[in-house]
Amino acid sequence: MGLPERLAGKRVLVTGVTGFVGEALLERLLSDLPDTEVVVLVRPRAGRSGQARFAALVTKPAFAAWRERVGADEVERTLRERVTVLEGDLERMPTLPADLDIVIHCAGEVSFDPPIDTGFATNLGGVQELLRAVQDSGARPHLVHISTAYVAGLRSGHVAEGRLAHTVDWRVEQAAAQRARPAAEDASRTPEALRGFRERAEAEHVRAGAQTVSREAERHRRRWVERRLVEIGGERARVLGWTDCYTFTKALAERYLENSRDGLPLTVVRPSIIESALARPFPGWIEGFKMAEPLIIAYARGELPDFPASPDGIIDIIPVDLVVNAIIAAAATTPPADTPAYYTVCSGFRNPLLFRDLYEHVQEYFQRHPLVARNRGTVAAAEWRFAGAATVESRLRRGERFTELAGRALGYAPRSDRVRQAARDLEQLDERLSFLRRYQDLYRSYTRAELVYVDDATRALHQGLEPADAQRFGFDPACYDWHTYLQDIHIPSVTATIRGPDPSPPAARRVAPASASGPDTLAVFDLDGTLVSSTVIESYLWLRLADQNAVARGRELASLARALPGYIRAERRDRGHLIRAVYTRYAGADPDELARLVDEVAGDILLRRVKPAAIRRVREHREAGHRTVLLTGAVEVLTRPLTPLFDEIVATGLALGSDGRYTGRLTSAPLVGDARAAWLSHYAGRVGANLRASWGYADSQSDLPMLRAVGNPVAVSPDLPLYRVARRSGWPIEEWSSTPGEPRAVAAGRDERRAHAAAARVRAWRAGGGPAGRSGAGTDRVITLDPGGRR
């Protein structure tokens, strides 16, 4: 009797149908076993019901051939009459049908290095919850558990199919795993640990303010807890003889089923490394990167100069459709209730692929079909020397040390295009090294384990198939050769997504303010470094030196030079400290005289330093109907020339003494770091603005809270810390220059002339002309905050 007949009339529950193996299995059940009923467990996710997720699943490419062969009406009938969708997951199993004949458990945590509590909760706890639900239903199905060949652990030589030989108590290990997270949380909250998180956050983000530092410190703490749990899982697994937490928890799940199934027939299917399909649903079908793909891609990109594996070691790869066929054959073969069946689905025993063979196939393929890298042309295929794990580890450590030192050095470099390019190059190197580190650590145990999985029982299962089934549902690993599979099927499939038709670099990302137009939208601009090429020290000098003689200028410059190291230290600690330190130099200044100097001298200097791209961007926002806001630490008198461009200007106020002159003190704390975000939130509520639709433009790490407060942050000629955050967060990065014709990611020519004309109109305003921008716009008000926060 053939497999379709043996499974006819059976009701089969499948878990994990949205995963790689589960999806391929579902396709075979629907298309090739027409008299088998299918029950699927699908978890609601991201606001979508399990029914909706299943409906989307069967429209994917894996089911295309079946849909085309039977037609839309038959697909609809099949899903209506043969498929039952259960909403739920392995944490909260729904009530199962009482007439289940077979349960195929494909779901599980597939990451090699999950946090230990997550690995146990999914791979062991999920099996426990599934078995409980089966027993509560009253059904007595055949249990088919999909495990992995690597449950054999850290061994050498031949590994036979059968019950694992170990005495590890799953109860003890599960209880310890459940205690691991509270213990890690407690350890992360000791004064010493918390001080370390805070100091690291301060070193990285002190200029952005206390709230940002607090958030970053907590982020570091949480990441530490997760890394700690990953380390605990990996080390506990290796101590007990397994490669990682994944294989450890899968092995204990097997032992739990063996001991707790209450007489239910049990079959354990152990695939080796599952890769793309040989033939079904179509050659090369794969979803997501599995175990070998990241290494193949890295080699193709020139990012994998060597690998810590023995050239004569076996890498045991098996196509996914052979695994699915073996699962179906195993499900149709019910073992005795007291004797579980074990099948290892692998290639290493009867069709071995050595690491050297894999390397040679990959190298040969990319010699004939090299990848094309942007700005580098074709990527040469590397020569692996199989230098050994110790040599590869030494090289990796040297690279990691170099990136650490270079990163520190760049942190002290002045901002420039060259520094940002160096940061990009260093970031790419760091990503490459992180990739190598991750896969070196993950694969180290697998590459050291010189073992061969024996598949005698699986071979006997295949030989017991009817001849017609052997053609349709065969899983003999000797049925293909590696050259055909790797070079004609697998590698072309996994590299298709990274081969673009146009290797040229993408166009610069262009910000489009009009895409979110409306009066409830803010466009918030920083001044120094963003709108204008200046600093608070430069703006002070514009005013201080405007009408002094040569001797007085020399004295002032000498005094400033002596104070400069202190200003630099203040800037690195807190921008508010810098503003306070510099503005003490205004003590004794006459407000009327400063206003005159701005109108007659300093205003022209300021306008010449305004970036044309910045003026153009402000005008675009105004034309879109947005409310424009200038948020600056500059003294309010210096912003007078810019009032036509903005609906609101928030600047720093200087306190007046009883003699009517400035005291060198501020009327309120500087609006920097977290204070900018707080002010912006309050202001948006007062004017009815939508911050999610609003825009922010700034150049410095101290502006991070402001940029994070809006839905459309833009980093403008950023310093290195902001540049790194913007790159990591996917924010637009633009270069605005005060030199005509130089700004990037902006139009040139006619737009440049319009920008300079706009600057001229701003100057004309000071001479009595009408305000620039939209009709009736602009403000003659500069907001300063008194100590009580009132305007």
mmCIF file with all atom_site columns, all heavy atoms in Angstrom, residues 41-60:
data_model
loop_
_atom_site.group_PDB
_atom_site.id
_atom_site.type_symbol
_atom_site.label_atom_id
_atom_site.label_alt_id
_atom_site.label_comp_id
_atom_site.label_asym_id
_atom_site.label_entity_id
_atom_site.label_seq_id
_atom_site.pdbx_PDB_ins_code
_atom_site.Cartn_x
_atom_site.Cartn_y
_atom_site.Cartn_z
_atom_site.occupancy
_atom_site.B_iso_or_equiv
_atom_site.pdbx_formal_charge
_atom_site.auth_seq_id
_atom_site.auth_comp_id
_atom_site.auth_asym_id
_atom_site.auth_atom_id
_atom_site.pdbx_PDB_model_num
ATOM 1   N N   . LEU A 1 41 ? -1.802 24.488 13.713 1.00 0.00 ? 41 LEU A N   1
ATOM 2   C CA  . LEU A 1 41 ? -1.760 25.415 14.846 1.00 0.00 ? 41 LEU A CA  1
ATOM 3   C C   . LEU A 1 41 ? -1.019 26.663 14.388 1.00 0.00 ? 41 LEU A C   1
ATOM 4   O O   . LEU A 1 41 ? 0.163  26.592 14.023 1.00 0.00 ? 41 LEU A O   1
ATOM 5   C CB  . LEU A 1 41 ? -1.040 24.770 16.032 1.00 0.00 ? 41 LEU A CB  1
ATOM 6   C CG  . LEU A 1 41 ? -0.866 25.643 17.272 1.00 0.00 ? 41 LEU A CG  1
ATOM 7   C CD1 . LEU A 1 41 ? -2.209 25.900 17.946 1.00 0.00 ? 41 LEU A CD1 1
ATOM 8   C CD2 . LEU A 1 41 ? 0.099  24.970 18.258 1.00 0.00 ? 41 LEU A CD2 1
ATOM 9   N N   . VAL A 1 42 ? -1.701 27.816 14.389 1.00 0.00 ? 42 VAL A N   1
ATOM 10  C CA  . VAL A 1 42 ? -1.093 29.067 13.919 1.00 0.00 ? 42 VAL A CA  1
ATOM 11  C C   . VAL A 1 42 ? -1.300 30.142 14.986 1.00 0.00 ? 42 VAL A C   1
ATOM 12  O O   . VAL A 1 42 ? -2.426 30.384 15.418 1.00 0.00 ? 42 VAL A O   1
ATOM 13  C CB  . VAL A 1 42 ? -1.697 29.529 12.575 1.00 0.00 ? 42 VAL A CB  1
ATOM 14  C CG1 . VAL A 1 42 ? -0.963 30.767 12.072 1.00 0.00 ? 42 VAL A CG1 1
ATOM 15  C CG2 . VAL A 1 42 ? -1.631 28.409 11.540 1.00 0.00 ? 42 VAL A CG2 1
ATOM 16  N N   . ARG A 1 43 ? -0.223 30.778 15.345 1.00 0.00 ? 43 ARG A N   1
ATOM 17  C CA  . ARG A 1 43 ? -0.259 31.799 16.394 1.00 0.00 ? 43 ARG A CA  1
ATOM 18  C C   . ARG A 1 43 ? -0.681 33.148 15.810 1.00 0.00 ? 43 ARG A C   1
ATOM 19  O O   . ARG A 1 43 ? -0.129 33.587 14.801 1.00 0.00 ? 43 ARG A O   1
ATOM 20  C CB  . ARG A 1 43 ? 1.126  31.932 17.014 1.00 0.00 ? 43 ARG A CB  1
ATOM 21  C CG  . ARG A 1 43 ? 1.246  33.045 18.043 1.00 0.00 ? 43 ARG A CG  1
ATOM 22  C CD  . ARG A 1 43 ? 2.631  33.065 18.645 1.00 0.00 ? 43 ARG A CD  1
ATOM 23  N NE  . ARG A 1 43 ? 3.663  33.193 17.627 1.00 0.00 ? 43 ARG A NE  1
ATOM 24  C CZ  . ARG A 1 43 ? 4.970  33.124 17.885 1.00 0.00 ? 43 ARG A CZ  1
ATOM 25  N NH1 . ARG A 1 43 ? 5.371  32.871 19.111 1.00 0.00 ? 43 ARG A NH1 1
ATOM 26  N NH2 . ARG A 1 43 ? 5.844  33.270 16.907 1.00 0.00 ? 43 ARG A NH2 1
ATOM 27  N N   . PRO A 1 44 ? -1.660 33.822 16.428 1.00 0.00 ? 44 PRO A N   1
ATOM 28  C CA  . PRO A 1 44 ? -1.942 35.211 16.024 1.00 0.00 ? 44 PRO A CA  1
ATOM 29  C C   . PRO A 1 44 ? -0.688 36.057 16.266 1.00 0.00 ? 44 PRO A C   1
ATOM 30  O O   . PRO A 1 44 ? 0.046  35.850 17.238 1.00 0.00 ? 44 PRO A O   1
ATOM 31  C CB  . PRO A 1 44 ? -3.085 35.633 16.949 1.00 0.00 ? 44 PRO A CB  1
ATOM 32  C CG  . PRO A 1 44 ? -3.682 34.356 17.440 1.00 0.00 ? 44 PRO A CG  1
ATOM 33  C CD  . PRO A 1 44 ? -2.554 33.363 17.499 1.00 0.00 ? 44 PRO A CD  1
ATOM 34  N N   . ARG A 1 45 ? -0.456 37.008 15.372 1.00 0.00 ? 45 ARG A N   1
ATOM 35  C CA  . ARG A 1 45 ? 0.787  37.775 15.486 1.00 0.00 ? 45 ARG A CA  1
ATOM 36  C C   . ARG A 1 45 ? 0.636  39.123 14.827 1.00 0.00 ? 45 ARG A C   1
ATOM 37  O O   . ARG A 1 45 ? 0.011  39.236 13.764 1.00 0.00 ? 45 ARG A O   1
ATOM 38  C CB  . ARG A 1 45 ? 1.928  37.001 14.812 1.00 0.00 ? 45 ARG A CB  1
ATOM 39  C CG  . ARG A 1 45 ? 3.311  37.539 15.075 1.00 0.00 ? 45 ARG A CG  1
ATOM 40  C CD  . ARG A 1 45 ? 4.334  36.604 14.476 1.00 0.00 ? 45 ARG A CD  1
ATOM 41  N NE  . ARG A 1 45 ? 5.682  37.000 14.782 1.00 0.00 ? 45 ARG A NE  1
ATOM 42  C CZ  . ARG A 1 45 ? 6.763  36.344 14.380 1.00 0.00 ? 45 ARG A CZ  1
ATOM 43  N NH1 . ARG A 1 45 ? 6.624  35.241 13.661 1.00 0.00 ? 45 ARG A NH1 1
ATOM 44  N NH2 . ARG A 1 45 ? 7.968  36.770 14.694 1.00 0.00 ? 45 ARG A NH2 1
ATOM 45  N N   . ALA A 1 46 ? 1.172  40.155 15.483 1.00 0.00 ? 46 ALA A N   1
ATOM 46  C CA  . ALA A 1 46 ? 1.216  41.515 14.943 1.00 0.00 ? 46 ALA A CA  1
ATOM 47  C C   . ALA A 1 46 ? -0.169 41.984 14.497 1.00 0.00 ? 46 ALA A C   1
ATOM 48  O O   . ALA A 1 46 ? -0.330 42.572 13.431 1.00 0.00 ? 46 ALA A O   1
ATOM 49  C CB  . ALA A 1 46 ? 2.203  41.592 13.770 1.00 0.00 ? 46 ALA A CB  1
ATOM 50  N N   . GLY A 1 47 ? -1.169 41.698 15.344 1.00 0.00 ? 47 GLY A N   1
ATOM 51  C CA  . GLY A 1 47 ? -2.518 42.154 15.027 1.00 0.00 ? 47 GLY A CA  1
ATOM 52  C C   . GLY A 1 47 ? -3.243 41.310 13.997 1.00 0.00 ? 47 GLY A C   1
ATOM 53  O O   . GLY A 1 47 ? -4.363 41.643 13.610 1.00 0.00 ? 47 GLY A O   1
ATOM 54  N N   . ARG A 1 48 ? -2.645 40.217 13.532 1.00 0.00 ? 48 ARG A N   1
ATOM 55  C CA  . ARG A 1 48 ? -3.285 39.345 12.540 1.00 0.00 ? 48 ARG A CA  1
ATOM 56  C C   . ARG A 1 48 ? -3.684 38.041 13.207 1.00 0.00 ? 48 ARG A C   1
ATOM 57  O O   . ARG A 1 48 ? -2.914 37.445 13.975 1.00 0.00 ? 48 ARG A O   1
ATOM 58  C CB  . ARG A 1 48 ? -2.346 39.066 11.364 1.00 0.00 ? 48 ARG A CB  1
ATOM 59  C CG  . ARG A 1 48 ? -1.867 40.311 10.648 1.00 0.00 ? 48 ARG A CG  1
ATOM 60  C CD  . ARG A 1 48 ? -0.862 39.944 9.577  1.00 0.00 ? 48 ARG A CD  1
ATOM 61  N NE  . ARG A 1 48 ? -1.477 39.227 8.483  1.00 0.00 ? 48 ARG A NE  1
ATOM 62  C CZ  . ARG A 1 48 ? -0.793 38.541 7.565  1.00 0.00 ? 48 ARG A CZ  1
ATOM 63  N NH1 . ARG A 1 48 ? 0.511  38.440 7.653  1.00 0.00 ? 48 ARG A NH1 1
ATOM 64  N NH2 . ARG A 1 48 ? -1.419 37.934 6.580  1.00 0.00 ? 48 ARG A NH2 1
ATOM 65  N N   . SER A 1 49 ? -4.862 37.570 12.894 1.00 0.00 ? 49 SER A N   1
ATOM 66  C CA  . SER A 1 49 ? -5.342 36.316 13.458 1.00 0.00 ? 49 SER A CA  1
ATOM 67  C C   . SER A 1 49 ? -4.589 35.142 12.845 1.00 0.00 ? 49 SER A C   1
ATOM 68  O O   . SER A 1 49 ? -3.935 35.259 11.801 1.00 0.00 ? 49 SER A O   1
ATOM 69  C CB  . SER A 1 49 ? -6.835 36.158 13.185 1.00 0.00 ? 49 SER A CB  1
ATOM 70  O OG  . SER A 1 49 ? -7.068 35.990 11.791 1.00 0.00 ? 49 SER A OG  1
ATOM 71  N N   . GLY A 1 50 ? -4.700 33.992 13.489 1.00 0.00 ? 50 GLY A N   1
ATOM 72  C CA  . GLY A 1 50 ? -4.109 32.798 12.927 1.00 0.00 ? 50 GLY A CA  1
ATOM 73  C C   . GLY A 1 50 ? -4.721 32.443 11.578 1.00 0.00 ? 50 GLY A C   1
ATOM 74  O O   . GLY A 1 50 ? -4.018 31.987 10.668 1.00 0.00 ? 50 GLY A O   1
ATOM 75  N N   . GLN A 1 51 ? -6.028 32.651 11.447 1.00 0.00 ? 51 GLN A N   1
ATOM 76  C CA  . GLN A 1 51 ? -6.693 32.391 10.160 1.00 0.00 ? 51 GLN A CA  1
ATOM 77  C C   . GLN A 1 51 ? -6.108 33.268 9.067  1.00 0.00 ? 51 GLN A C   1
ATOM 78  O O   . GLN A 1 51 ? -5.845 32.805 7.952  1.00 0.00 ? 51 GLN A O   1
ATOM 79  C CB  . GLN A 1 51 ? -8.195 32.657 10.299 1.00 0.00 ? 51 GLN A CB  1
ATOM 80  C CG  . GLN A 1 51 ? -8.955 31.647 11.145 1.00 0.00 ? 51 GLN A CG  1
ATOM 81  C CD  . GLN A 1 51 ? -9.288 30.381 10.379 1.00 0.00 ? 51 GLN A CD  1
ATOM 82  O OE1 . GLN A 1 51 ? -9.024 30.281 9.184  1.00 0.00 ? 51 GLN A OE1 1
ATOM 83  N NE2 . GLN A 1 51 ? -9.881 29.404 11.057 1.00 0.00 ? 51 GLN A NE2 1
ATOM 84  N N   . ALA A 1 52 ? -5.899 34.551 9.368  1.00 0.00 ? 52 ALA A N   1
ATOM 85  C CA  . ALA A 1 52 ? -5.363 35.477 8.368  1.00 0.00 ? 52 ALA A CA  1
ATOM 86  C C   . ALA A 1 52 ? -3.933 35.096 7.991  1.00 0.00 ? 52 ALA A C   1
ATOM 87  O O   . ALA A 1 52 ? -3.548 35.158 6.820  1.00 0.00 ? 52 ALA A O   1
ATOM 88  C CB  . ALA A 1 52 ? -5.421 36.905 8.897  1.00 0.00 ? 52 ALA A CB  1
ATOM 89  N N   . ARG A 1 53 ? -3.151 34.693 8.983  1.00 0.00 ? 53 ARG A N   1
ATOM 90  C CA  . ARG A 1 53 ? -1.771 34.298 8.691  1.00 0.00 ? 53 ARG A CA  1
ATOM 91  C C   . ARG A 1 53 ? -1.736 33.033 7.836  1.00 0.00 ? 53 ARG A C   1
ATOM 92  O O   . ARG A 1 53 ? -0.908 32.901 6.924  1.00 0.00 ? 53 ARG A O   1
ATOM 93  C CB  . ARG A 1 53 ? -1.004 34.072 9.989  1.00 0.00 ? 53 ARG A CB  1
ATOM 94  C CG  . ARG A 1 53 ? -0.723 35.333 10.786 1.00 0.00 ? 53 ARG A CG  1
ATOM 95  C CD  . ARG A 1 53 ? 0.209  35.042 11.937 1.00 0.00 ? 53 ARG A CD  1
ATOM 96  N NE  . ARG A 1 53 ? 1.532  34.687 11.470 1.00 0.00 ? 53 ARG A NE  1
ATOM 97  C CZ  . ARG A 1 53 ? 2.408  33.945 12.139 1.00 0.00 ? 53 ARG A CZ  1
ATOM 98  N NH1 . ARG A 1 53 ? 2.063  33.439 13.314 1.00 0.00 ? 53 ARG A NH1 1
ATOM 99  N NH2 . ARG A 1 53 ? 3.595  33.678 11.641 1.00 0.00 ? 53 ARG A NH2 1
ATOM 100 N N   . PHE A 1 54 ? -2.655 32.093 8.111  1.00 0.00 ? 54 PHE A N   1
ATOM 101 C CA  . PHE A 1 54 ? -2.685 30.871 7.302  1.00 0.00 ? 54 PHE A CA  1
ATOM 102 C C   . PHE A 1 54 ? -3.122 31.192 5.872  1.00 0.00 ? 54 PHE A C   1
ATOM 103 O O   . PHE A 1 54 ? -2.565 30.648 4.907  1.00 0.00 ? 54 PHE A O   1
ATOM 104 C CB  . PHE A 1 54 ? -3.635 29.852 7.916  1.00 0.00 ? 54 PHE A CB  1
ATOM 105 C CG  . PHE A 1 54 ? -3.739 28.583 7.116  1.00 0.00 ? 54 PHE A CG  1
ATOM 106 C CD1 . PHE A 1 54 ? -2.741 27.625 7.188  1.00 0.00 ? 54 PHE A CD1 1
ATOM 107 C CD2 . PHE A 1 54 ? -4.820 28.353 6.278  1.00 0.00 ? 54 PHE A CD2 1
ATOM 108 C CE1 . PHE A 1 54 ? -2.817 26.458 6.443  1.00 0.00 ? 54 PHE A CE1 1
ATOM 109 C CE2 . PHE A 1 54 ? -4.906 27.192 5.528  1.00 0.00 ? 54 PHE A CE2 1
ATOM 110 C CZ  . PHE A 1 54 ? -3.905 26.241 5.612  1.00 0.00 ? 54 PHE A CZ  1
ATOM 111 N N   . ALA A 1 55 ? -4.106 32.068 5.729  1.00 0.00 ? 55 ALA A N   1
ATOM 112 C CA  . ALA A 1 55 ? -4.562 32.445 4.388  1.00 0.00 ? 55 ALA A CA  1
ATOM 113 C C   . ALA A 1 55 ? -3.425 33.071 3.590  1.00 0.00 ? 55 ALA A C   1
ATOM 114 O O   . ALA A 1 55 ? -3.287 32.828 2.377  1.00 0.00 ? 55 ALA A O   1
ATOM 115 C CB  . ALA A 1 55 ? -5.742 33.415 4.487  1.00 0.00 ? 55 ALA A CB  1
ATOM 116 N N   . ALA A 1 56 ? -2.596 33.876 4.256  1.00 0.00 ? 56 ALA A N   1
ATOM 117 C CA  . ALA A 1 56 ? -1.450 34.470 3.568  1.00 0.00 ? 56 ALA A CA  1
ATOM 118 C C   . ALA A 1 56 ? -0.386 33.420 3.259  1.00 0.00 ? 56 ALA A C   1
ATOM 119 O O   . ALA A 1 56 ? 0.289  33.485 2.223  1.00 0.00 ? 56 ALA A O   1
ATOM 120 C CB  . ALA A 1 56 ? -0.861 35.588 4.424  1.00 0.00 ? 56 ALA A CB  1
ATOM 121 N N   . LEU A 1 57 ? -0.247 32.440 4.148  1.00 0.00 ? 57 LEU A N   1
ATOM 122 C CA  . LEU A 1 57 ? 0.765  31.397 3.963  1.00 0.00 ? 57 LEU A CA  1
ATOM 123 C C   . LEU A 1 57 ? 0.562  30.632 2.665  1.00 0.00 ? 57 LEU A C   1
ATOM 124 O O   . LEU A 1 57 ? 1.516  30.397 1.913  1.00 0.00 ? 57 LEU A O   1
ATOM 125 C CB  . LEU A 1 57 ? 0.733  30.446 5.159  1.00 0.00 ? 57 LEU A CB  1
ATOM 126 C CG  . LEU A 1 57 ? 1.641  29.215 5.095  1.00 0.00 ? 57 LEU A CG  1
ATOM 127 C CD1 . LEU A 1 57 ? 3.109  29.627 5.155  1.00 0.00 ? 57 LEU A CD1 1
ATOM 128 C CD2 . LEU A 1 57 ? 1.319  28.241 6.227  1.00 0.00 ? 57 LEU A CD2 1
ATOM 129 N N   . VAL A 1 58 ? -0.665 30.257 2.367  1.00 0.00 ? 58 VAL A N   1
ATOM 130 C CA  . VAL A 1 58 ? -0.912 29.416 1.192  1.00 0.00 ? 58 VAL A CA  1
ATOM 131 C C   . VAL A 1 58 ? -0.884 30.208 -0.112 1.00 0.00 ? 58 VAL A C   1
ATOM 132 O O   . VAL A 1 58 ? -1.084 29.630 -1.183 1.00 0.00 ? 58 VAL A O   1
ATOM 133 C CB  . VAL A 1 58 ? -2.249 28.651 1.326  1.00 0.00 ? 58 VAL A CB  1
ATOM 134 C CG1 . VAL A 1 58 ? -2.184 27.668 2.470  1.00 0.00 ? 58 VAL A CG1 1
ATOM 135 C CG2 . VAL A 1 58 ? -3.415 29.607 1.486  1.00 0.00 ? 58 VAL A CG2 1
ATOM 136 N N   . THR A 1 59 ? -0.626 31.514 -0.030 1.00 0.00 ? 59 THR A N   1
ATOM 137 C CA  . THR A 1 59 ? -0.426 32.295 -1.261 1.00 0.00 ? 59 THR A CA  1
ATOM 138 C C   . THR A 1 59 ? 1.049  32.464 -1.581 1.00 0.00 ? 59 THR A C   1
ATOM 139 O O   . THR A 1 59 ? 1.395  33.080 -2.594 1.00 0.00 ? 59 THR A O   1
ATOM 140 C CB  . THR A 1 59 ? -1.055 33.695 -1.129 1.00 0.00 ? 59 THR A CB  1
ATOM 141 O OG1 . THR A 1 59 ? -0.366 34.438 -0.105 1.00 0.00 ? 59 THR A OG1 1
ATOM 142 C CG2 . THR A 1 59 ? -2.530 33.613 -0.785 1.00 0.00 ? 59 THR A CG2 1
ATOM 143 N N   . LYS A 1 60 ? 1.922  31.878 -0.769 1.00 0.00 ? 60 LYS A N   1
ATOM 144 C CA  . LYS A 1 60 ? 3.357  32.060 -0.961 1.00 0.00 ? 60 LYS A CA  1
ATOM 145 C C   . LYS A 1 60 ? 3.863  31.184 -2.106 1.00 0.00 ? 60 LYS A C   1
ATOM 146 O O   . LYS A 1 60 ? 3.177  30.258 -2.563 1.00 0.00 ? 60 LYS A O   1
ATOM 147 C CB  . LYS A 1 60 ? 4.088  31.742 0.354  1.00 0.00 ? 60 LYS A CB  1
ATOM 148 C CG  . LYS A 1 60 ? 3.751  32.733 1.466  1.00 0.00 ? 60 LYS A CG  1
ATOM 149 C CD  . LYS A 1 60 ? 4.379  32.357 2.787  1.00 0.00 ? 60 LYS A CD  1
ATOM 150 C CE  . LYS A 1 60 ? 5.869  32.557 2.799  1.00 0.00 ? 60 LYS A CE  1
ATOM 151 N NZ  . LYS A 1 60 ? 6.444  32.362 4.138  1.00 0.00 ? 60 LYS A NZ  1
#
